[in-house]
Amino acid sequence: MTQLTHLNAAGEAHMVDISAKADTVREARAEAFVTMQPATLAMILDGSHHKGDVFATARIAAIQAAKRTWELIPLCHPLMLSKVEVNISAQPESNQVYIETCCRLSGKTGVEMEALTAASVAALTIYDMCKAVQKDMVIGPVRLLAKSGGKSGDFLVAS
């Protein structure tokens, strides 16, 4: 079993020293879903939401969140992301909004947390913008889809 890297020999939380690691291209993709009533989804899609373009706002929030993950997750390193991509689409057949994010950099540590944070914040932003019309929306699942680069190698969710 792989050891937890954020615990030192005394079992205390600490930030991992990555200074000796080689820079490699690293990428991670994550997804999130927001399930809502058909009327709420229709309001988003027809542009009648009084707060404006829900998807555009969620996309910008996701990008900002990815860039600031290190401020939100205590033991994350600040990263110089070279790419943050956020795709948001409606899935009317299941009354859901689908969010997929991709983060990339050339660096010493992975970007899984940035991709997951971006997907989560996009979902939270959609909830925030629509809560006045529906409070029982459901966020989830949120999960890592894939990662590449680094010593631990590639990961891809089984289909």
Side-chain angles (χ1 to χ4, degrees), residues 32-126:
F33 293 85
V34 183
T35 305
M36 60 192 65
Q37 296 172 0
T40 306
L41 185 55
M43 177 192 63
I44 293 170
L45 295 177
D46 70 20
S48 63
H49 194 291
H50 70 282
K51 289 187 178 183
D53 188 334
V54 174
F55 287 1
T57 304
R59 189 173 299 108
I60 291 175
I63 293 167
Q64 288 179 318
K67 295 188 318 184
R68 298 182 78 164
T69 298
W70 67 277
E71 293 177 323
L72 302 169
I73 309 294
L75 302 176
C76 284
H77 294 84
L79 303 179
M80 291 297 297
L81 296 170
S82 57
K83 175 183 180 176
V84 179
E85 183 178 319
V86 181
N87 294 302
I88 302 174
S89 59
Q91 297 183 332
E93 65 283 353
S94 58
N95 300 315
Q96 291 181 315
V97 172
Y98 177 70
I99 302 153
E100 186 172 330
T101 62
C102 177
C103 293
R104 182 182 303 143
L105 60 65
S106 179
K108 298 176 182 295
T109 190
V111 291
E112 298 93 332
M113 293 310 301
E114 286 70 16
L116 286 161
T117 299
S120 299
V121 169
L124 289 167
T125 300
I126 291 168

Side-chain angles (χ1 to χ4, degrees), residues 3-16 75:
Q3 297 295 318
L4 296 175
T5 59
H6 288 83
L7 298 177
N8 65 17
E12 301 163 333
H14 74 108
M15 190 169 174
V16 175
L75 302 176

